[in-house]
Amino acid sequence: ITKRLEAHAIAKETKAWENAKTTNTIEVYTTYLVEYPEGIFKAEVTNAITGIKKEESEMLAAQEQKNNNAINALLESMVFVKGGTFMMNFKMRYANSKPAKKVTLSSFNIGKYEVTQAQWRALMGTNPSYYKNCDQCPVENVSFNDVQRFLKKLNKISGKRYRLPTAAQWEYAARGGDKSLGYEFSGSNDLFSVGWFMYNSKNKTHKVGGKRPNEIGLYDMSGNVAEWCSDFYNKDYYSVIPSNNPKGPSSGTGRITRGACWNTEFCDLAEFVLSEGSHSGDRGIGFRVVSF
C-alpha cells in the first residue's frame, strides 16, 4: 500500500511538473514550489524561473534600447531653417488662408520627418494610429491636446524645448526657407515625386522619407498626413497678421493643420485646413516638431 501511495504521489507531482513546463510561466512554477517545496523537480523549476526572468529582463532591455533609439532619431533629425522674409499664403487655393502678406521669421529648427508611430509609442506607450503595424509611418489620429502631452514628455526627457511649429514657420519651411525655388509643392512642381496624396497613396499613410525632400531637406511637407500647427483658427487673422514672427491669433474656434494628406486631391504648399477642435484626432492628421 505504501509503495502504491508513493507511486501515486510521484505520478501526481510528475504531472504537475509536466503541466508547469507546458504552461511555462513563473506563476505556475511558483505554484509547483508552494505545493512541493522539496519536490523531485525543484532544481528544474528553479532553473526555469531563472531562465524566464533572464529572458524577460533581456526583452525589457531590448525594448528600452529600441525606444531610446526611436527618440534619439527624432532629436537628431532636426533641420536648421535660416530666418528670412517671404510672402505667407501666396497663391493659396482657399479663401480662409488669404490674403497673402510679407512675413519675417527668425531662425529655427524643425523635424526632418513627421513624428513616427515608433517614436510616439516609445514615449507614450501606446499607438493611437488608424494605420498600425508600420513603425516608420507617421503617427496619426492624435488630437492637438494629445500632441501637447507628447511634447511635455519629450521636453522632460530631453531637457530641451520642443513645440509645434507656427503656421508661418511651417509654411516657410515647406516652401524651402531661404533656399526656396518657388515650387508649387514642397520640393517640386510634380506632386507625385514629393508627396503621398489621393492618386498614389492607395488610401493609407506611408513610411516617412519615402519621397524626395524639399530644398532644405524636409520630407512629406506635401501629403502623407496633414500636420498640426500651434495656431488657433480665426477667419480674420490673416488680414491683421503681424509682420515679424507671427504666432497666430490669441484665441479662435479650433486649431489648424497644414500640408494636406494621403486622401486629398491637392497638397498645396500650405493648404489650410480647419480642425474640428483640440480634442479630436483624425487618421489624416499627424505632426512634426520645432525646437526653440
Side-chain angles (χ1 to χ4, degrees):
I1 293 175
T2 300
K3 289 183 179 180
R4 285 201 300 269
L5 291 175
E6 289 177 350
H8 177 73
I10 291 172
K12 182 180 178 182
E13 183 180 351
T14 301
K15 185 177 181 179
W17 160 239
E18 294 296 335
N19 289 338
K21 283 197 298 182
T22 300
T23 306
N24 196 39
T25 65
I26 290 178
E27 291 75 17
V28 173
Y29 286 133
T30 300
T31 298
Y32 171 91
L33 290 177
V34 170
E35 190 171 353
Y36 305 102
E38 300 299 329
I40 303 170
F41 306 101
K42 179 180 178 180
E44 289 88 340
V45 168
T46 301
N47 289 336
I49 291 174
T50 300
I52 291 175
K53 288 182 177 180
K54 181 180 179 182
E55 183 178 347
E56 289 178 348
S57 178
E58 290 174 347
M59 289 178 62
L60 186 62
Q63 184 60 53
E64 185 175 356
Q65 184 60 53
K66 186 177 180 180
N67 290 344
N68 289 339
N69 291 342
I71 296 302
N72 287 336
L74 171 59
L75 301 180
E76 294 169 3
S77 63
M78 303 298 290
V79 173
F80 175 73
V81 183
K82 184 180 178 180
T85 300
F86 76 113
M87 288 298 293
M88 185 174 180
N89 296 329
F90 182 63
K91 292 185 178 180
M92 287 296 98
R93 185 182 302 273
Y94 300 100
N96 60 353
S97 56
K98 296 177 181 179
K101 183 162 183 185
K102 185 179 289 188
V103 166
T104 299
L105 296 178
S106 302
S107 300
F108 59 96
N109 295 286
I110 190 168
K112 180 184 292 187
Y113 310 105
E114 295 157 331
V115 172
T116 67
Q117 295 180 26
Q119 290 163 349
W120 182 279
R121 187 174 56 249
L123 201 59
M124 306 299 284
T126 60
N127 182 5
S129 300
Y130 181 85
Y131 299 103
K132 289 182 169 62
N133 302 317
C134 180
D135 277 359
Q136 297 310 309
C137 287
V139 66
E140 23 81 11
N141 203 30
V142 290
S143 72
F144 180 90
N145 289 344
D146 291 335
V147 174
Q148 299 312 301
R149 286 187 280 273
F150 175 91
L151 292 169
K152 185 177 181 179
K153 285 192 174 184
L154 183 63
N155 289 339
K156 183 177 181 180
I157 67 165
S158 68
K160 299 179 180 179
R161 300 171 68 192
Y162 294 89
R163 58 167 172 77
L164 287 171
T166 64
Q169 288 176 325
W170 193 98
E171 182 182 339
Y172 180 62
R175 289 184 182 278
D178 68 328
K179 294 180 174 59
S180 177
L181 297 177
Y183 293 127
E184 180 180 2
F185 307 107
S186 185
S188 177
N189 289 324
D190 173 25
L191 184 52
F192 282 91
S193 68
V194 293
W196 297 108
F197 68 120
M198 181 183 291
Y199 299 118
N200 66 357
S201 70
K202 297 182 179 180
N203 293 319
K204 64 179 182 178
T205 59
H206 292 263
K207 292 180 179 180
V208 300
K211 294 290 187 176
R212 282 172 44 193
N214 74 354
E215 297 94 315
I216 55 175
L218 301 178
Y219 293 83
D220 299 299
M221 298 294 277
S222 291
N224 213 358
V225 291
E227 300 177 16
W228 285 111
C229 294
S230 61
D231 299 36
F232 278 106
Y233 170 71
N234 185 311
K235 64 183 180 63
D236 300 318
Y237 177 68
Y238 289 116
S239 62
V240 295
I241 184 173
S243 297
N244 293 309
N245 294 312
K247 294 179 172 58
S250 58
S251 62
T253 56
R255 302 284 179 169
I256 67 170
T257 64
R258 294 237 176 189
C261 69
W262 53 265
N263 68 351
T264 52
E265 185 175 4
F266 299 102
C267 297
D268 299 68
L269 261 182
E271 181 174 346
F272 185 101
V273 182
L274 171 62
S275 78
E276 296 179 357
S278 301
H279 302 283
S280 58
D282 185 280
R283 58 185 175 177
I285 301 177
F287 69 106
R288 75 182 69 215
V289 301
V290 297
S291 58
F292 62 106

